[in-house]
Amino acid sequence: MLDLFMTIFFMIIKVIGITLILLLLPVPLTWLERKVAGHIQQRLGPMRVGWHGLLQPIADGIKLLTKEDNIPIYADKTLFKLAPIISLIPPFLVFVAVPFGEDVTLFGRKTGLYISDMNIGLLYIFAVAGLEVYGVILGGWASNSKYALLGGLRCCAQLISYEIPLGFSVMGVIMLTGSMSLLDIVEAQSQIWNVVYQPIGFFVFLVAGIAEAQRIPFDLAEAEGDLGSGYHTEYSGMRFAFFMLTEYIVMLTVSVLIVLLFFGGWNGPFLPPIVWFILKVGFFVYLFMWFRFTFPRYRYDQLMSIGWKVLLPLSLANILITGIFLA
Amino acid sequence: MYRENWLERLEKRYRWIGFTLLLDLIDGLSLTLSYLFSKTITMQYPDREKWIPYPRFRGHHFLRKFENGDTKCVACELCARICPCQCIKVVPYEDEKGNRRPLIYDVNTARCLFCGLCEDACPVEAIALGQHYEFSAYDSKKLLVGKDVLMKMPGKTEEGGKVVRARLVAGEKVFAEPQGKEGYHWWNRIRRR
């Protein structure tokens, strides 16, 4: 009885912990993004609020909280209110299946640094992450504005096109490991990282992952130049902050998945596993920001041709090559 | 007719190799990375730094003085005459020695366009435009400046054109107070390839 109670207790603590981490992580990430943007353009970025502008995201949060929450007259009000929440929930659900490390001993009990080790973890992650598109397309539709609608449609088309190479690129890893559990996949990489065996798979996953996270050079859904800001043109205040939060959590998800699938997860010499994990994820998050302030945006037809004519054949060829080597 | 040399032809023929290896993307990334670690050109005004203008800078007006503290102005009203926006008002009077002196010398800095014609017109080099540039106000009436204020205004800089360390003073008047004379020119910090 006590054992069951403790298990539930630990589970609740882990769920609350991960939720808090995911809700709070965008705060330093926005700061980091603005700093990287500034220094790449020979500026300083935020400097005035706190030490080197560290409290700037909190000031922004207060600003977003106190801003007018505007709903357009012709908007579909129920959907308009629902859309940010629908887009916010799937990225949180993804982290149910994401492990952060192996078992640790807490209060004389062994617990894993994960909520659930599913044997179909990867499948679950892709299934849930695909739901995010509903929030975006509902937000674009409910706003009843042409910019928002076009942004939503573009986003929908983009996410569907890139989900396919994303799924296929992971196939090679699954074939190598023979398991869909992320814990097994990481354990299989304790000697050599998967990126050595799967360079094409990694490349396809990285590019498709950037497209999934709606980052430059694939951020067509919120192209400031031609669409205002796409599906969240009409959103303001806290609802806009929800979309922002989603964007950062998805970026984090993609980084975490790249690290787990191709870069050995928490495996690494000398340093404790969790430090390795954070370092690797941090590097990929930085890489995304670096890309953002280096590359221009792709045109819509280019986006589609990259997805269907380059990434899809590449990922299929990757599966084929992996199969030949395994057989 | 222009004929490509062999290197250009070779480059054109094998361009797809670099394209496939994403060399152009890597080139761009390395450029932004080198900028990331280069010096910034941001001038942290007014928190930490302040721009000291060149001597030729045309800022707030000031009236030059003799050693005894009297103004050099002889109230000839040439500045008021030449002023294109008529923002100078001079009322002369005759003092006990029989000299012509300004009783009122008002400059409306809200109207002034800082052309410096008053400085050129002045026969005794009394009125001039100095280095002071932080005099914005919420009320335009505060921008009507009299003789007493003009005589206390800072003059031209001896050597300018640099960014010096400064401290933000936010009291009744808000300005950045320079700390020390050492400075740099932001122009020299621009990164060039």
Side-chain angles (χ1 to χ4, degrees):
Chain A
M1 187 62 203
L2 187 72
D3 205 47
L4 181 72
F5 179 74
M6 285 298 275
T7 315
I8 294 170
F9 177 70
F10 270 109
M11 191 60 85
I12 289 170
I13 281 190
K14 278 191 281 193
V15 169
I16 291 173
I18 285 182
T19 314
L20 276 183
I21 287 173
L22 285 182
L23 276 175
L24 291 179
L25 253 182
V27 171
L29 283 183
T30 48
W31 175 84
L32 189 71
E33 176 134 37
R34 293 173 67 173
K35 273 288 178 197
V36 170
H39 281 274
I40 279 180
Q41 295 160 2
Q42 288 197 306
R43 296 182 289 109
L44 282 167
M47 278 300 274
R48 296 197 69 172
V49 192
W51 184 82
H52 278 246
L54 258 178
L55 299 177
Q56 185 69 46
I58 295 165
D60 287 347
I62 293 169
K63 183 199 79 175
L64 283 173
L65 270 172
T66 51
K67 268 202 163 183
E68 186 195 353
D69 180 20
N70 184 39
I71 299 177
I73 305 171
Y74 298 109
D76 187 331
K77 293 192 176 53
T78 327
L79 281 184
F80 191 84
K81 288 174 188 164
L82 211 61
I85 301 164
I86 291 179
S87 76
L88 188 62
I89 290 172
F92 279 88
L93 287 181
V94 164
F95 276 86
V96 169
V98 170
F100 296 96
E102 275 165 331
D103 293 352
V104 287
T105 318
L106 260 180
F107 308 118
R109 269 180 61 96
K110 271 172 82 85
T111 43
L113 281 174
Y114 46 82
I115 293 177
S116 156
D117 176 31
M118 299 183 200
N119 53 0
I120 50 153
L122 217 46
L123 196 66
Y124 167 80
I125 283 172
F126 283 116
V128 173
L131 290 178
E132 194 219 335
V133 71
Y134 282 109
V136 170
I137 198 162
L138 283 182
W141 173 257
S143 300
N144 212 343
S145 138
K146 49 182 174 271
Y147 292 129
L149 182 61
L150 279 174
L153 287 178
R154 274 190 186 186
C155 182
C156 183
Q158 179 183 338
L159 287 185
I160 290 169
S161 316
Y162 279 76
E163 203 101 308
I164 298 163
L166 196 75
F168 277 149
S169 64
V170 174
M171 214 77 92
V173 175
I174 299 169
M175 283 157 83
L176 277 178
T177 320
S179 166
M180 271 193 173
S181 155
L182 281 166
L183 219 56
D184 292 347
I185 291 175
V186 173
E187 264 163 33
Q189 297 177 68
S190 55
Q191 298 304 318
I192 299 169
W193 293 352
N194 267 342
V195 71
V196 180
Y197 298 123
Q198 298 280 330
I200 303 171
F202 163 66
F203 171 73
V204 173
F205 192 87
L206 180 69
V207 176
I210 296 170
E212 281 294 289
Q214 304 278 322
R215 302 280 302 180
I216 283 179
F218 300 110
D219 72 331
L220 276 106
E222 49 184 281
E224 296 93 354
D226 39 333
L227 283 186
S229 61
Y231 58 88
H232 50 61
T233 306
E234 305 294 340
Y235 282 90
S236 61
M238 219 42 218
R239 295 185 211 281
F240 171 72
F242 274 9
F243 277 124
M244 225 37 203
L245 210 65
T246 312
E247 203 173 294
Y248 276 99
I249 297 173
V250 171
M251 182 173 85
L252 204 70
T253 314
V254 174
S255 315
V256 166
L257 282 181
I258 290 175
V259 169
L260 288 176
L261 294 173
F262 296 100
F263 280 83
W266 47 84
N267 293 316
F270 311 123
L271 293 170
I274 192 74
V275 176
W276 268 112
F277 188 71
I278 290 169
L279 276 180
K280 288 173 187 172
V281 172
F283 172 76
F284 278 100
V285 167
Y286 166 70
L287 193 75
F288 281 4
M289 294 175 181
W290 189 9
F291 282 174
R292 172 165 177 189
F293 296 104
T294 304
F295 300 140
R297 185 179 299 121
Y298 280 111
R299 230 166 41 218
Y300 186 71
D301 59 318
Q302 288 172 333
L303 175 93
M304 283 298 149
S305 69
I306 289 173
W308 292 102
K309 291 182 189 165
V310 181
L311 292 185
L312 186 62
L314 266 182
S315 55
L316 286 174
N318 184 44
I319 296 172
L320 202 69
I321 295 166
T322 315
I324 291 167
F325 272 96
L326 281 180
Chain B
M1 198 186 108
Y2 176 72
R3 278 184 62 122
E4 302 156 322
N5 62 31
W6 63 273
L7 198 70
E8 280 169 333
R9 253 177 293 156
L10 204 72
E11 202 193 325
K12 223 172 206 176
R13 180 179 288 178
Y14 296 107
R15 192 167 283 167
W16 62 272
I17 298 179
F19 227 68
T20 318
L21 293 174
L22 307 175
L23 287 185
D24 44 348
L25 296 188
I26 290 166
D27 200 32
L29 284 174
S30 65
L31 182 74
T32 45
L33 190 71
S34 71
Y35 269 96
L36 184 70
F37 293 110
S38 69
K39 266 186 184 165
T40 57
I41 58 163
T42 304
M43 192 200 308
Q44 291 190 62
Y45 175 81
D47 293 328
R48 304 231 180 102
E49 289 166 335
K50 186 185 181 178
W51 171 254
I52 304 293
Y54 289 101
R56 62 170 182 263
F57 182 77
R58 299 198 296 260
H60 198 289
H61 312 250
F62 70 99
L63 278 171
R64 292 210 179 86
K65 293 177 280 193
F66 291 116
E67 264 95 70
N68 62 6
D70 274 355
T71 170
K72 280 186 176 177
C73 179
V74 292
C76 63
E77 293 177 59
L78 275 177
C79 46
R81 270 296 176 86
I82 204 162
C83 183
C85 42
Q86 298 173 7
C87 66
I88 303 179
K89 181 188 176 191
V90 187
V91 175
Y93 77 104
E94 193 180 330
D95 69 353
E96 55 271 20
K97 289 180 207 156
N99 292 331
R100 193 179 158 114
R101 311 253 79 201
L103 179 68
I104 296 172
Y105 196 108
D106 282 350
V107 178
N108 189 350
T109 48
R111 285 182 64 103
C112 178
L113 54 85
F114 299 95
C115 60
L117 281 178
C118 48
E119 188 177 348
D120 293 346
C122 189
V124 289
E125 293 190 339
I127 184 82
L129 300 178
Q131 58 171 298
H132 185 55
Y133 55 82
E134 295 157 306
F135 54 93
S136 55
Y138 283 108
D139 189 354
S140 63
K141 285 179 191 124
K142 282 182 183 162
L143 292 172
L144 187 69
V145 179
K147 189 176 69 171
D148 305 335
V149 182
L150 285 175
M151 282 166 70
K152 279 181 209 146
M153 276 291 158
K156 293 180 183 290
T157 49
E158 273 130 40
E159 45 154 352
K162 61 188 177 185
V163 180
V164 297
R165 293 191 65 77
R167 190 171 58 91
L168 177 65
V169 182
E172 196 181 329
K173 282 181 177 172
V174 183
F175 60 95
E177 187 186 11
Q179 313 266 307
K181 296 220 159 190
E182 293 297 301
Y184 66 90
H185 197 317
W186 61 268
W187 181 261
N188 297 328
R189 286 200 176 183
I190 294 180
R191 207 189 124 80
R192 298 178 184 89
R193 259 246 263 210

